[in-house]
Amino acid sequence: MATVFMKWLETSPGDYDRGIQLLTWGRLQPLKERIAANFIQPEMQVLEIGCGTGTLSLLMARRGAHVTAIDASVGMLAEAERKAADAGLSEAITFHNLDVTELSDHFEPGRFDVVVSTLAFSEFPPEVRRFALNEAAQLLNPDGRLLIADEMVPAGFWAKLLFWLVRLPLVIVTWLLTRTTTTPLRDFLQTVAQCGFVPAVSESHLGGSLQLITARPVAGAEPAQKLWQAVPRLRHRVTLKTLLLDVWSYTNRISPPYAKQATGLYRIGHPTPKSPVLLTGNYELTVRRLVRQLDGNVDCWLVVANSRGINVWCAAGGGHFSAEDVISALKTSGVADVVTHHALILPQLCANGVDGWKIRRETGWGVHWGPVRAADIPAYLAAGRKKSLDMRHVAFPLKDRFEMATAMNVFYGIILAVVGVIFWRSHTLAVLAAMTVLGYVYGIFQPWLPGRDGLEKGIGLSAATLLGLWIWSWQWANLPPVTLFNWSLGLGVLAFFIGAEFQGMNPLLRGEQANWTIEGVVGLATLALYGAGQLWM
């Protein structure tokens, strides 16, 4: 069950070991000790994939092994290096900040006697697992051994039922804390065997949900990628499921969980080895909209990379989609095995966070930035990857502004509803109605509000809202001074926040985290002004 909490615990590396020990009911630490005692000998060359805070690395180093430990988390590695220094084992362990897809770039074939991993493979997408297993097969010497301890879906109805009953609360808590989760391994023995190993289950704990798998490489085994003969096809279909996903995506773009497309390689139409290769993120709505424009119009290959379920513009701008993610997708998807060229088409809107030159240097793939809109891709390809000025132009039309206004109203509406029911139940409906109207009004008039920054436009919307309120009160409602004061504060600050928050949804503007500080100051000032006003009046 521990891997459910991996992302959360990684935010506090110092507490990682304690949390993992608790969440595995104390089984993982003794399992690591037995791995070191039973499989590690002095002078062995050992590679640990996903070393975390270095607990197993230290145990193996104490056995006299030469340990090479990799992890993608800088924070985890810092904690591991500190622990190694405190134990006097820094010379015996070499730590590397590496992704698992970079192994063959740094280590020669046949170098290691043992490759070991605990609670890491369940974090990898399926194609990355296969890639990592293939890498391990190449890096092990002929007599080497692979050891993997990880979370598995157990066999048997009652074991599975107990597993999910225990795991479900952990998934919910993890999602609330981190907006992410992990996936327990299914049929992993079969996957290991397909990647050139003879595997066996050496230990099984917690009803089969925590297992230690040992495997030896088969001499001359063909890598799993070469065995792939059928690439799944994506088609544009309108079904009840896609309609429900559309509703979810339109109304829930701000808060996870996001609908995700499985990462990997797909075909659209009937591509050949010479057909173009496109790459996008794994936000499900992005993939479906892309397929809608391409299916029946273009024969191509589509690589879906891990953008953490976020659209490519937001993911790239927020540091969740980078050149490293593109490189990993190119390596693990097997796309190089099905095409005879190295021309990669990336979305123009991810250029804010993806280093195209790094991709070129490290992979040999030529990077081409496609048009802004998916609807222009067929014409772009027909013109030989030539973009017109219109294809480069980023727009934010009324339709898109209404979509984002809907997403914003739903997200903040839920928050306001919860707060309102607790503190101002009698005013909750009025506040929600005001926010909904202001959100859509802002969506309509956003291009014409004064100012370039969202904060400036929020001030403009706030001024227009207050002016309208005062005219309405003066001409028709004749609100009492206290009511007018309270309404002015509430509607004014609500309009300001809508303008400020809408900035991050606009592809023409940058979403600045600095806005949060200003919004916080405005919110506190409003509360102070409200309190002073109540006392004075």
PDB file of all heavy atoms in Angstrom, residues 208-221:
ATOM      1  N   GLY A 208      -0.354 -10.958  -0.545  1.00  0.00           N
ATOM      2  CA  GLY A 208       0.134 -10.951  -1.920  1.00  0.00           C
ATOM      3  C   GLY A 208       0.242  -9.575  -2.528  1.00  0.00           C
ATOM      4  O   GLY A 208       0.616  -9.446  -3.695  1.00  0.00           O
ATOM      5  N   SER A 209      -0.052  -8.521  -1.745  1.00  0.00           N
ATOM      6  CA  SER A 209      -0.009  -7.161  -2.298  1.00  0.00           C
ATOM      7  C   SER A 209       1.386  -6.556  -2.232  1.00  0.00           C
ATOM      8  O   SER A 209       1.633  -5.510  -2.840  1.00  0.00           O
ATOM      9  CB  SER A 209      -0.998  -6.255  -1.566  1.00  0.00           C
ATOM     10  OG  SER A 209      -0.663  -6.138  -0.199  1.00  0.00           O
ATOM     11  N   LEU A 210       2.314  -7.167  -1.504  1.00  0.00           N
ATOM     12  CA  LEU A 210       3.710  -6.736  -1.485  1.00  0.00           C
ATOM     13  C   LEU A 210       4.559  -7.964  -1.780  1.00  0.00           C
ATOM     14  O   LEU A 210       4.583  -8.914  -1.002  1.00  0.00           O
ATOM     15  CB  LEU A 210       4.083  -6.139  -0.127  1.00  0.00           C
ATOM     16  CG  LEU A 210       5.536  -5.688   0.034  1.00  0.00           C
ATOM     17  CD1 LEU A 210       5.853  -4.534  -0.918  1.00  0.00           C
ATOM     18  CD2 LEU A 210       5.822  -5.278   1.484  1.00  0.00           C
ATOM     19  N   GLN A 211       5.252  -7.950  -2.918  1.00  0.00           N
ATOM     20  CA  GLN A 211       5.990  -9.124  -3.358  1.00  0.00           C
ATOM     21  C   GLN A 211       7.437  -8.764  -3.697  1.00  0.00           C
ATOM     22  O   GLN A 211       7.730  -7.647  -4.127  1.00  0.00           O
ATOM     23  CB  GLN A 211       5.343  -9.755  -4.594  1.00  0.00           C
ATOM     24  CG  GLN A 211       3.958 -10.299  -4.357  1.00  0.00           C
ATOM     25  CD  GLN A 211       3.367 -10.942  -5.606  1.00  0.00           C
ATOM     26  OE1 GLN A 211       4.060 -11.132  -6.612  1.00  0.00           O
ATOM     27  NE2 GLN A 211       2.084 -11.280  -5.545  1.00  0.00           N
ATOM     28  N   LEU A 212       8.306  -9.737  -3.504  1.00  0.00           N
ATOM     29  CA  LEU A 212       9.684  -9.650  -3.979  1.00  0.00           C
ATOM     30  C   LEU A 212       9.830 -10.613  -5.143  1.00  0.00           C
ATOM     31  O   LEU A 212       9.652 -11.821  -4.985  1.00  0.00           O
ATOM     32  CB  LEU A 212      10.685  -9.998  -2.876  1.00  0.00           C
ATOM     33  CG  LEU A 212      12.144 -10.131  -3.336  1.00  0.00           C
ATOM     34  CD1 LEU A 212      12.655  -8.809  -3.901  1.00  0.00           C
ATOM     35  CD2 LEU A 212      13.034 -10.628  -2.201  1.00  0.00           C
ATOM     36  N   ILE A 213      10.144 -10.057  -6.310  1.00  0.00           N
ATOM     37  CA  ILE A 213      10.339 -10.862  -7.510  1.00  0.00           C
ATOM     38  C   ILE A 213      11.830 -10.913  -7.818  1.00  0.00           C
ATOM     39  O   ILE A 213      12.507  -9.880  -7.847  1.00  0.00           O
ATOM     40  CB  ILE A 213       9.568 -10.271  -8.699  1.00  0.00           C
ATOM     41  CG1 ILE A 213       8.058 -10.415  -8.460  1.00  0.00           C
ATOM     42  CG2 ILE A 213       9.964 -10.931 -10.003  1.00  0.00           C
ATOM     43  CD1 ILE A 213       7.204  -9.793  -9.535  1.00  0.00           C
ATOM     44  N   THR A 214      12.343 -12.112  -8.034  1.00  0.00           N
ATOM     45  CA  THR A 214      13.721 -12.286  -8.467  1.00  0.00           C
ATOM     46  C   THR A 214      13.713 -12.840  -9.883  1.00  0.00           C
ATOM     47  O   THR A 214      12.829 -13.625 -10.255  1.00  0.00           O
ATOM     48  CB  THR A 214      14.481 -13.241  -7.535  1.00  0.00           C
ATOM     49  OG1 THR A 214      13.850 -14.531  -7.580  1.00  0.00           O
ATOM     50  CG2 THR A 214      14.460 -12.728  -6.108  1.00  0.00           C
ATOM     51  N   ALA A 215      14.690 -12.423 -10.681  1.00  0.00           N
ATOM     52  CA  ALA A 215      14.717 -12.858 -12.080  1.00  0.00           C
ATOM     53  C   ALA A 215      16.146 -12.882 -12.593  1.00  0.00           C
ATOM     54  O   ALA A 215      16.983 -12.075 -12.176  1.00  0.00           O
ATOM     55  CB  ALA A 215      13.872 -11.917 -12.937  1.00  0.00           C
ATOM     56  N   ARG A 216      16.409 -13.819 -13.501  1.00  0.00           N
ATOM     57  CA  ARG A 216      17.708 -13.885 -14.166  1.00  0.00           C
ATOM     58  C   ARG A 216      17.519 -13.642 -15.655  1.00  0.00           C
ATOM     59  O   ARG A 216      16.534 -14.093 -16.249  1.00  0.00           O
ATOM     60  CB  ARG A 216      18.370 -15.254 -13.937  1.00  0.00           C
ATOM     61  CG  ARG A 216      18.813 -15.477 -12.497  1.00  0.00           C
ATOM     62  CD  ARG A 216      19.728 -16.676 -12.390  1.00  0.00           C
ATOM     63  NE  ARG A 216      20.199 -16.894 -11.027  1.00  0.00           N
ATOM     64  CZ  ARG A 216      21.245 -16.280 -10.503  1.00  0.00           C
ATOM     65  NH1 ARG A 216      21.914 -15.397 -11.220  1.00  0.00           N
ATOM     66  NH2 ARG A 216      21.621 -16.544  -9.263  1.00  0.00           N
ATOM     67  N   PRO A 217      18.456 -12.924 -16.278  1.00  0.00           N
ATOM     68  CA  PRO A 217      18.309 -12.637 -17.707  1.00  0.00           C
ATOM     69  C   PRO A 217      18.515 -13.889 -18.554  1.00  0.00           C
ATOM     70  O   PRO A 217      19.307 -14.771 -18.209  1.00  0.00           O
ATOM     71  CB  PRO A 217      19.410 -11.601 -17.969  1.00  0.00           C
ATOM     72  CG  PRO A 217      20.424 -11.837 -16.902  1.00  0.00           C
ATOM     73  CD  PRO A 217      19.667 -12.311 -15.706  1.00  0.00           C
ATOM     74  N   VAL A 218      17.782 -13.947 -19.670  1.00  0.00           N
ATOM     75  CA  VAL A 218      17.928 -15.036 -20.632  1.00  0.00           C
ATOM     76  C   VAL A 218      18.903 -14.591 -21.710  1.00  0.00           C
ATOM     77  O   VAL A 218      18.709 -13.540 -22.326  1.00  0.00           O
ATOM     78  CB  VAL A 218      16.575 -15.405 -21.264  1.00  0.00           C
ATOM     79  CG1 VAL A 218      16.752 -16.511 -22.299  1.00  0.00           C
ATOM     80  CG2 VAL A 218      15.593 -15.830 -20.184  1.00  0.00           C
ATOM     81  N   ALA A 219      19.936 -15.342 -21.921  1.00  0.00           N
ATOM     82  CA  ALA A 219      20.957 -14.970 -22.906  1.00  0.00           C
ATOM     83  C   ALA A 219      20.335 -14.861 -24.298  1.00  0.00           C
ATOM     84  O   ALA A 219      19.603 -15.759 -24.741  1.00  0.00           O
ATOM     85  CB  ALA A 219      22.087 -15.997 -22.908  1.00  0.00           C
ATOM     86  N   GLY A 220      20.600 -13.745 -24.975  1.00  0.00           N
ATOM     87  CA  GLY A 220      20.126 -13.557 -26.340  1.00  0.00           C
ATOM     88  C   GLY A 220      18.657 -13.227 -26.458  1.00  0.00           C
ATOM     89  O   GLY A 220      18.103 -13.250 -27.559  1.00  0.00           O
ATOM     90  N   ALA A 221      17.995 -12.923 -25.334  1.00  0.00           N
ATOM     91  CA  ALA A 221      16.560 -12.582 -25.395  1.00  0.00           C
ATOM     92  C   ALA A 221      16.367 -11.285 -26.153  1.00  0.00           C
ATOM     93  O   ALA A 221      17.147 -10.348 -26.039  1.00  0.00           O
ATOM     94  CB  ALA A 221      15.998 -12.460 -23.984  1.00  0.00           C
TER      95      ALA A 221
END
